Amino acid sequence: MPLGVLHVDTEYGWRGGQQQLAYLSAAMDLRHYYNAVVCQPNSHMASFCYKNQINCYPIRMHGELDFWAGFKIARLARKKRFGLLHLHSGHAVTLGIWAKLFNFNLQLIATRRVDFILQNRLFSRFKYINPLLSKIVCVSEEIRRIMSFEGVDDHRLTTIYSGIDILKYKKYEPEKDFKASWGIADSAFIVGTIAAMVGHKDYPTLLKAARLVLDKSPHIVFLAVGDGPLEKEVRLLADRLKLGHRFIFAGYQSNIGNFLKSFDLFVLSSNQEGLGTSILDAQSAGIPVVACAAGGIPEMIQDGINGRLVPKEAPEKLAHTILELANDTHQRQKMAHAAQKSVINFSIDKTVDHYVKLYRSFLQ
């Protein structure tokens, strides 16, 4: 009997959740499992599916109260014989619940990727405590702990870590003129980050730490990859701190390998983080990592072993650790080597194995 899994993603852009869905659907295709993706028309996910020949059904989804979209998803599932909806975003969870009301035979699995609390979000509590959801997959044990604390029954919670292609950047070589193309001196030490400009990524802590670092080291340059709704505020803060040309905003970039393999140190300053797969990408690329101990990050990093952890919202501690590592080549190499071993535990193949096992438990 084929696995009839219909993935639902409601986002137009491309961030960590979309990358995880891309990995999962493509891997299931390679293993000849029956799955398809419902996404927004003209979204990045739709483009990915068409490019990679993954079954895709674009449906316009207008927010969480779009009962009509829920009906369309239910009708599609019945017509194409999908028995399980895997809901990959917060709005998708609500649409999945509407779909089940139109097709009660559907099983619903939701993935929870953020460590935000639900207490002050009544509608979110309704979604995730709702008994119509068969299972909630948490991408870290910290998220599972929070969901349990919020009142979700433990038997409906499970943890499946997000995964990455651990070989993607292993032999990747960046462009030879990369530094020159960004106006960076050949001798510069690059501290890089890859993070959307949203509140929980906490760019202010990174910018304040950068100011402290630049005051003490003339050869360090910061390079940030990402855009988002707070970009204007982030750039204004950088101007107020007078970071100038030594803090470079690269915006959204599709060729992440070019940047990762050019970084000397990877930093993530999040004050909330479900897991943080950009850390895993950096580790797989052999880049030493320093990150704030937020959310699921400590489940990936053993402080002093395969990376460094600092308290969140503590720019002085972050700056001190960046300077320490910038001046200690041996420690950076030791941690990067250990990280390339530990990151194997977060291989996308393992993630897919766990999801397929979960799907089978419902569809058999």
mmCIF file of all heavy atoms in Angstrom, residues 22-46:
data_model
loop_
_atom_site.group_PDB
_atom_site.id
_atom_site.type_symbol
_atom_site.label_atom_id
_atom_site.label_comp_id
_atom_site.label_asym_id
_atom_site.label_seq_id
_atom_site.Cartn_x
_atom_site.Cartn_y
_atom_site.Cartn_z
ATOM 1 N N ALA A 22 11.290 20.692 1.421
ATOM 2 C CA ALA A 22 11.943 20.357 0.154
ATOM 3 C C ALA A 22 12.780 19.089 0.301
ATOM 4 O O ALA A 22 12.706 18.171 -0.529
ATOM 5 C CB ALA A 22 12.811 21.526 -0.314
ATOM 6 N N TYR A 23 13.589 19.036 1.347
ATOM 7 C CA TYR A 23 14.391 17.833 1.602
ATOM 8 C C TYR A 23 13.497 16.604 1.737
ATOM 9 O O TYR A 23 13.757 15.547 1.143
ATOM 10 C CB TYR A 23 15.184 17.994 2.903
ATOM 11 C CG TYR A 23 16.462 18.782 2.813
ATOM 12 C CD1 TYR A 23 16.827 19.651 3.846
ATOM 13 C CD2 TYR A 23 17.336 18.637 1.741
ATOM 14 C CE1 TYR A 23 18.020 20.361 3.802
ATOM 15 C CE2 TYR A 23 18.526 19.352 1.691
ATOM 16 C CZ TYR A 23 18.870 20.207 2.717
ATOM 17 O OH TYR A 23 20.049 20.912 2.677
ATOM 18 N N LEU A 24 12.425 16.722 2.524
ATOM 19 C CA LEU A 24 11.576 15.576 2.840
ATOM 20 C C LEU A 24 10.836 15.070 1.612
ATOM 21 O O LEU A 24 10.834 13.859 1.325
ATOM 22 C CB LEU A 24 10.586 15.971 3.937
ATOM 23 C CG LEU A 24 9.590 14.909 4.408
ATOM 24 C CD1 LEU A 24 10.302 13.675 4.922
ATOM 25 C CD2 LEU A 24 8.664 15.492 5.483
ATOM 26 N N SER A 25 10.195 15.973 0.872
ATOM 27 C CA SER A 25 9.422 15.545 -0.300
ATOM 28 C C SER A 25 10.323 14.961 -1.372
ATOM 29 O O SER A 25 9.978 13.955 -2.014
ATOM 30 C CB SER A 25 8.607 16.718 -0.852
ATOM 31 O OG SER A 25 9.445 17.804 -1.206
ATOM 32 N N ALA A 26 11.496 15.566 -1.588
ATOM 33 C CA ALA A 26 12.424 15.045 -2.595
ATOM 34 C C ALA A 26 12.948 13.669 -2.196
ATOM 35 O O ALA A 26 13.052 12.756 -3.034
ATOM 36 C CB ALA A 26 13.581 16.018 -2.794
ATOM 37 N N ALA A 27 13.268 13.500 -0.908
ATOM 38 C CA ALA A 27 13.766 12.207 -0.435
ATOM 39 C C ALA A 27 12.691 11.134 -0.541
ATOM 40 O O ALA A 27 12.977 9.980 -0.899
ATOM 41 C CB ALA A 27 14.253 12.330 1.008
ATOM 42 N N MET A 28 11.429 11.491 -0.253
ATOM 43 C CA MET A 28 10.346 10.519 -0.377
ATOM 44 C C MET A 28 10.135 10.124 -1.831
ATOM 45 O O MET A 28 9.862 8.954 -2.138
ATOM 46 C CB MET A 28 9.065 11.081 0.227
ATOM 47 C CG MET A 28 9.104 11.212 1.743
ATOM 48 S SD MET A 28 7.522 11.720 2.438
ATOM 49 C CE MET A 28 6.532 10.238 2.173
ATOM 50 N N ASP A 29 10.287 11.082 -2.742
ATOM 51 C CA ASP A 29 10.197 10.769 -4.170
ATOM 52 C C ASP A 29 11.273 9.765 -4.576
ATOM 53 O O ASP A 29 11.007 8.801 -5.306
ATOM 54 C CB ASP A 29 10.342 12.049 -5.005
ATOM 55 C CG ASP A 29 9.003 12.599 -5.460
ATOM 56 O OD1 ASP A 29 7.971 12.174 -4.901
ATOM 57 O OD2 ASP A 29 8.982 13.442 -6.372
ATOM 58 N N LEU A 30 12.493 9.998 -4.116
ATOM 59 C CA LEU A 30 13.596 9.101 -4.453
ATOM 60 C C LEU A 30 13.361 7.694 -3.924
ATOM 61 O O LEU A 30 13.796 6.717 -4.515
ATOM 62 C CB LEU A 30 14.913 9.648 -3.904
ATOM 63 C CG LEU A 30 15.509 10.849 -4.645
ATOM 64 C CD1 LEU A 30 16.740 11.378 -3.915
ATOM 65 C CD2 LEU A 30 15.896 10.459 -6.077
ATOM 66 N N ARG A 31 12.653 7.611 -2.797
ATOM 67 C CA ARG A 31 12.350 6.304 -2.207
ATOM 68 C C ARG A 31 11.033 5.725 -2.728
ATOM 69 O O ARG A 31 10.566 4.696 -2.252
ATOM 70 C CB ARG A 31 12.281 6.419 -0.679
ATOM 71 C CG ARG A 31 13.589 6.874 -0.031
ATOM 72 C CD ARG A 31 13.475 6.854 1.472
ATOM 73 N NE ARG A 31 14.649 7.406 2.128
ATOM 74 C CZ ARG A 31 14.909 7.278 3.425
ATOM 75 N NH1 ARG A 31 14.057 6.605 4.196
ATOM 76 N NH2 ARG A 31 15.989 7.807 3.952
ATOM 77 N N HIS A 32 10.428 6.423 -3.694
ATOM 78 C CA HIS A 32 9.210 5.959 -4.369
ATOM 79 C C HIS A 32 8.003 5.871 -3.431
ATOM 80 O O HIS A 32 7.153 4.985 -3.575
ATOM 81 C CB HIS A 32 9.444 4.606 -5.052
ATOM 82 C CG HIS A 32 10.617 4.610 -5.984
ATOM 83 N ND1 HIS A 32 10.643 5.355 -7.149
ATOM 84 C CD2 HIS A 32 11.819 3.992 -5.906
ATOM 85 C CE1 HIS A 32 11.810 5.180 -7.760
ATOM 86 N NE2 HIS A 32 12.543 4.360 -7.022
ATOM 87 N N TYR A 33 7.924 6.785 -2.469
ATOM 88 C CA TYR A 33 6.739 6.898 -1.636
ATOM 89 C C TYR A 33 5.774 7.893 -2.277
ATOM 90 O O TYR A 33 6.187 8.866 -2.908
ATOM 91 C CB TYR A 33 7.100 7.357 -0.225
ATOM 92 C CG TYR A 33 7.902 6.355 0.559
ATOM 93 C CD1 TYR A 33 9.127 6.709 1.123
ATOM 94 C CD2 TYR A 33 7.438 5.055 0.753
ATOM 95 C CE1 TYR A 33 9.866 5.790 1.858
ATOM 96 C CE2 TYR A 33 8.176 4.135 1.475
ATOM 97 C CZ TYR A 33 9.380 4.505 2.024
ATOM 98 O OH TYR A 33 10.110 3.590 2.751
ATOM 99 N N TYR A 34 4.502 7.646 -2.080
ATOM 100 C CA TYR A 34 3.459 8.462 -2.692
ATOM 101 C C TYR A 34 3.236 9.715 -1.842
ATOM 102 O O TYR A 34 2.690 9.650 -0.746
ATOM 103 C CB TYR A 34 2.175 7.645 -2.801
ATOM 104 C CG TYR A 34 1.010 8.357 -3.446
ATOM 105 C CD1 TYR A 34 1.180 9.109 -4.605
ATOM 106 C CD2 TYR A 34 -0.267 8.264 -2.891
ATOM 107 C CE1 TYR A 34 0.115 9.759 -5.204
ATOM 108 C CE2 TYR A 34 -1.349 8.903 -3.482
ATOM 109 C CZ TYR A 34 -1.153 9.654 -4.630
ATOM 110 O OH TYR A 34 -2.211 10.299 -5.227
ATOM 111 N N ASN A 35 3.711 10.845 -2.363
ATOM 112 C CA ASN A 35 3.510 12.100 -1.642
ATOM 113 C C ASN A 35 3.426 13.258 -2.633
ATOM 114 O O ASN A 35 3.841 13.150 -3.789
ATOM 115 C CB ASN A 35 4.603 12.320 -0.600
ATOM 116 C CG ASN A 35 5.912 12.862 -1.158
ATOM 117 O OD1 ASN A 35 6.453 13.841 -0.640
ATOM 118 N ND2 ASN A 35 6.463 12.243 -2.199
ATOM 119 N N ALA A 36 2.858 14.363 -2.181
ATOM 120 C CA ALA A 36 2.719 15.560 -3.005
ATOM 121 C C ALA A 36 2.654 16.773 -2.086
ATOM 122 O O ALA A 36 2.524 16.641 -0.866
ATOM 123 C CB ALA A 36 1.469 15.476 -3.887
ATOM 124 N N VAL A 37 2.743 17.949 -2.693
ATOM 125 C CA VAL A 37 2.803 19.202 -1.928
ATOM 126 C C VAL A 37 1.680 20.136 -2.353
ATOM 127 O O VAL A 37 1.472 20.353 -3.550
ATOM 128 C CB VAL A 37 4.160 19.906 -2.135
ATOM 129 C CG1 VAL A 37 4.177 21.260 -1.416
ATOM 130 C CG2 VAL A 37 5.310 19.032 -1.654
ATOM 131 N N VAL A 38 0.950 20.662 -1.380
ATOM 132 C CA VAL A 38 0.027 21.779 -1.605
ATOM 133 C C VAL A 38 0.740 23.048 -1.150
ATOM 134 O O VAL A 38 1.252 23.104 -0.030
ATOM 135 C CB VAL A 38 -1.284 21.603 -0.812
ATOM 136 C CG1 VAL A 38 -2.080 22.907 -0.825
ATOM 137 C CG2 VAL A 38 -2.116 20.483 -1.394
ATOM 138 N N CYS A 39 0.796 24.053 -2.031
ATOM 139 C CA CYS A 39 1.476 25.295 -1.683
ATOM 140 C C CYS A 39 0.802 26.464 -2.392
ATOM 141 O O CYS A 39 -0.109 26.275 -3.212
ATOM 142 C CB CYS A 39 2.956 25.226 -2.052
ATOM 143 S SG CYS A 39 3.262 24.917 -3.805
ATOM 144 N N GLN A 40 1.258 27.659 -2.090
ATOM 145 C CA GLN A 40 0.710 28.847 -2.724
ATOM 146 C C GLN A 40 1.155 28.931 -4.182
ATOM 147 O O GLN A 40 2.299 28.618 -4.504
ATOM 148 C CB GLN A 40 1.199 30.106 -1.990
ATOM 149 C CG GLN A 40 0.808 30.191 -0.537
ATOM 150 C CD GLN A 40 -0.636 30.638 -0.344
ATOM 151 O OE1 GLN A 40 -1.427 30.667 -1.276
ATOM 152 N NE2 GLN A 40 -0.977 30.970 0.888
ATOM 153 N N PRO A 41 0.267 29.359 -5.091
ATOM 154 C CA PRO A 41 0.682 29.594 -6.476
ATOM 155 C C PRO A 41 1.788 30.650 -6.511
ATOM 156 O O PRO A 41 1.790 31.598 -5.716
ATOM 157 C CB PRO A 41 -0.589 30.107 -7.160
ATOM 158 C CG PRO A 41 -1.706 29.668 -6.268
ATOM 159 C CD PRO A 41 -1.161 29.656 -4.873
ATOM 160 N N ASN A 42 2.738 30.482 -7.401
ATOM 161 C CA ASN A 42 3.840 31.436 -7.594
ATOM 162 C C ASN A 42 4.714 31.615 -6.353
ATOM 163 O O ASN A 42 5.371 32.647 -6.192
ATOM 164 C CB ASN A 42 3.299 32.805 -8.037
ATOM 165 C CG ASN A 42 2.467 32.727 -9.306
ATOM 166 O OD1 ASN A 42 2.870 32.085 -10.266
ATOM 167 N ND2 ASN A 42 1.305 33.359 -9.292
ATOM 168 N N SER A 43 4.728 30.624 -5.488
ATOM 169 C CA SER A 43 5.590 30.668 -4.311
ATOM 170 C C SER A 43 6.941 30.035 -4.634
ATOM 171 O O SER A 43 7.112 29.369 -5.660
ATOM 172 C CB SER A 43 4.944 29.920 -3.150
ATOM 173 O OG SER A 43 4.790 28.541 -3.479
ATOM 174 N N HIS A 44 7.893 30.236 -3.738
ATOM 175 C CA HIS A 44 9.199 29.590 -3.906
ATOM 176 C C HIS A 44 9.047 28.068 -3.861
ATOM 177 O O HIS A 44 9.762 27.356 -4.567
ATOM 178 C CB HIS A 44 10.157 30.053 -2.808
ATOM 179 C CG HIS A 44 10.710 31.426 -3.022
ATOM 180 N ND1 HIS A 44 11.798 31.677 -3.820
ATOM 181 C CD2 HIS A 44 10.312 32.632 -2.557
ATOM 182 C CE1 HIS A 44 12.067 32.975 -3.819
ATOM 183 N NE2 HIS A 44 11.172 33.577 -3.075
ATOM 184 N N MET A 45 8.113 27.582 -3.044
ATOM 185 C CA MET A 45 7.913 26.144 -2.956
ATOM 186 C C MET A 45 7.360 25.588 -4.264
ATOM 187 O O MET A 45 7.779 24.518 -4.716
ATOM 188 C CB MET A 45 6.969 25.807 -1.789
ATOM 189 C CG MET A 45 6.727 24.317 -1.595
ATOM 190 S SD MET A 45 8.241 23.345 -1.350
ATOM 191 C CE MET A 45 8.827 24.029 0.202
ATOM 192 N N ALA A 46 6.432 26.305 -4.879
ATOM 193 C CA ALA A 46 5.897 25.864 -6.168
ATOM 194 C C ALA A 46 7.013 25.786 -7.201
ATOM 195 O O ALA A 46 7.106 24.813 -7.973
ATOM 196 C CB ALA A 46 4.795 26.818 -6.628
#
